[in-house]
Amino acid sequence: MILTDSVSVSAVRRTTDGYLVADARVARTGIQEYLGSEVGKPDVPIIRVYRPPEAVFAEDAMRSYAYRPMTNDHHGDVNAGNWKQLAVGQTGSEVLRDGDFVRVPLVLMDAAAIRDYEAGKRELSMGLEATVVFEDGVTPDGQTYNARIESMRMNHLALVDRARGGEQLRIGDQRAPGVQPQAQDDPKGGHDMADALRKLLVDGLTIETTEQGAQAIEKLNKQLSDAQVNIKTLTDGHAAAMATKDAELAKKDAEIDSLKSKQLSDADIDKRVQERADLISTAKQIADGDYTGKSEAEIRKAAVVAKLGDAAVKDKADAYIAARFDILAEDAAEDPVRQHMRQQDGKPTNPADNGQTAYEQRLADAWKGESK
């Protein structure tokens, strides 16, 4: 994990080659605040990271301060592949403990970086790899923390306008032209924060906070805005789903009501059965036949065809066929003799003679034979 620190610079001088040489504090023990996103905890606004002396002044850590490339601002990991493009100087080899600080010599060799320094860009920020253990605890001097560093290895030292402490630090007792004097120095190498505060408008109220606090508030505001958008999306989706479900239920209710309206009562069934029986009886009066399984229109058509032939109904509408059926039904009802004769078709002409006629015919035939 790459972390950054902020330190002060002192004992500055220029060489005959134009380089800027200084002796600087580049690390310290104690609490430093990081955005959660900087240390792999994007859901946490601020993480208070404790750097214990045993990590800051460990032998491996102290050796790693020597011969580190210097950069103008941070550019991520600095290595052999990008050193030529990024380096503006380097640290020296005389790494010393200075109370709660680590002090190293450094040299700025790039003219543009030196001009930035002379214009007031004087804060230093270490880029380092660190093992961070996330745990709540309390430092020996009573400060609470959310994480602590177990081991450190320096990667580069950057010249920056403002690092983690806030405002730029003094160089000895002199400041760059145009830079206002600092009211008070933090004995730990921190800053007077009065000029480092930012004004923010939060829920209609103007507040002042540090750069890190402002970043945390802006991040939380964005998360709140995103959450509100998500809630509206979910609410709209739920309302649309409920509207669709209500429409489906209304359709089902309409179908049920329609089916109820179509359901026949016992009296309705009896009436329809009687009407069909009467229709079939009338059709049989017109032309006797099998009308089973036919609809009312088919029964009328079959009776008319049986009586008058196919030509009588060819290309005719159901209303016409129904009218012809009614006429034929009236005719059949007004001609009882014809109806009686139709009923007698196919029956024996004298069913009551009990074979008498046949007997007499046989006698007559026998007599004719004898006379010959």
Side-chain angles (χ1 to χ4, degrees):
M1 181 178 296
I2 299 291
L3 302 179
T4 59
D5 194 4
S6 60
V7 297
S8 62
V9 179
S10 63
V12 180
R13 64 184 178 86
R14 295 289 293 270
T15 70
T16 56
D17 299 320
Y19 302 147
L20 186 145
V21 178
D23 190 64
R25 293 173 173 178
V26 294
R28 66 178 177 87
T29 62
I31 301 291
Q32 295 200 28
E33 292 185 346
Y34 291 80
L35 294 177
S37 58
E38 292 181 284
V39 290
K41 296 289 184 180
D43 296 332
V44 182
I46 298 294
I47 299 290
R48 291 171 55 82
V49 180
Y50 175 47
R51 298 184 179 188
E54 55 269 26
V56 174
F57 304 122
E59 182 178 354
D60 289 343
M62 294 290 281
R63 280 200 301 263
S64 71
Y65 290 101
Y67 303 117
R68 293 295 92 194
M70 288 192 64
T71 61
N72 198 354
D73 291 320
H74 285 290
H75 299 279
D77 181 46
V78 181
N79 52 58
N82 58 21
W83 171 87
K84 187 173 182 179
Q85 291 77 33
L86 299 179
V88 296
Q90 71 175 35
T91 63
S93 62
E94 297 178 3
V95 181
L96 300 174
R97 176 172 180 173
D98 180 10
D100 292 329
F101 298 90
V102 176
R103 181 183 292 275
V104 299
L106 61 87
V107 56
L108 274 177
M109 307 177 74
D110 178 72
I114 294 172
R115 285 194 297 270
D116 287 345
Y117 164 80
E118 292 174 340
K121 188 175 186 179
R122 301 192 174 185
E123 193 166 342
L124 293 173
S125 180
M126 289 299 309
L128 60 140
E129 297 176 359
T131 300
V132 181
V133 177
F134 292 95
E135 62 179 15
D136 293 331
V138 180
T139 66
D141 59 355
Q143 298 184 69
T144 60
Y145 61 84
N146 314 113
R148 61 179 174 84
I149 287 180
E150 280 194 343
S151 63
M152 307 165 61
R153 179 185 177 279
M154 304 307 121
N155 177 264
H156 65 275
L157 178 62
L159 180 70
V160 293
D161 288 306
R162 181 171 296 173
R164 196 160 307 279
E167 188 189 35
Q168 61 196 15
L169 294 178
R170 288 184 305 178
I171 300 175
D173 292 331
Q174 301 296 322
R175 302 178 65 82
V179 177
Q180 296 301 316
Q182 180 172 300
Q184 181 179 354
D185 285 335
D186 185 330
K188 284 282 189 175
H191 305 280
D192 176 10
M193 300 300 292
D195 295 331
L197 297 179
R198 278 181 54 187
K199 290 184 179 181
L200 291 179
L201 186 66
V202 179
D203 197 20
L205 300 176
T206 300
I207 64 171
E208 289 187 345
T209 183
T210 64
E211 180 67 25
Q212 292 169 330
Q215 292 177 17
I217 291 172
E218 289 167 353
K219 178 179 179 181
L220 289 175
N221 283 338
K222 184 178 184 304
Q223 291 176 342
L224 179 60
S225 177
D226 292 343
Q228 291 173 341
V229 171
N230 291 337
I231 290 173
K232 186 178 186 305
T233 300
L234 292 173
T235 301
D236 292 346
H238 177 72
M242 291 300 296
T244 301
K245 182 62 68 176
D246 289 344
E248 292 175 353
L249 291 176
K251 182 179 179 180
K252 293 293 183 183
D253 290 341
E255 292 175 352
I256 292 172
D257 291 341
S258 177
L259 291 174
K260 287 181 179 179
S261 66
K262 294 177 181 178
Q263 185 175 358
L264 298 176
S265 65
D266 291 342
D268 291 334
I269 293 173
D270 291 343
K271 181 180 178 181
R272 295 192 65 175
V273 169
Q274 184 61 49
E275 289 174 350
R276 182 174 179 81
D278 292 345
L279 178 62
I280 292 175
S281 176
T282 301
K284 286 183 177 291
Q285 290 177 6
I286 296 172
D288 194 16
D290 184 8
Y291 299 100
T292 303
K294 290 181 171 60
S295 66
E296 294 181 357
E298 290 172 342
I299 290 172
R300 292 188 182 93
K301 183 176 181 180
V304 172
V305 169
K307 186 68 176 178
L308 304 176
D310 290 334
V313 298
K314 184 178 180 181
D315 300 327
K316 302 298 182 182
D318 288 344
Y320 174 86
I321 296 173
R324 293 298 301 269
F325 178 87
D326 291 341
I327 294 171
L328 292 175
E330 291 175 0
D331 291 345
E334 293 173 356
D335 192 358
V337 175
R338 184 187 305 168
Q339 182 178 356
H340 175 74
M341 293 300 295
R342 185 167 56 252
Q343 291 174 348
Q344 299 306 313
D345 289 346
K347 294 182 179 180
T349 56
N350 188 10
D353 68 354
N354 294 320
Q356 180 64 33
T357 301
Y359 172 73
E360 291 176 354
Q361 184 63 45
R362 286 196 300 273
L363 289 178
D365 292 342
W367 180 79
K368 289 179 182 180
E370 290 178 359
S371 63
K372 292 179 180 180

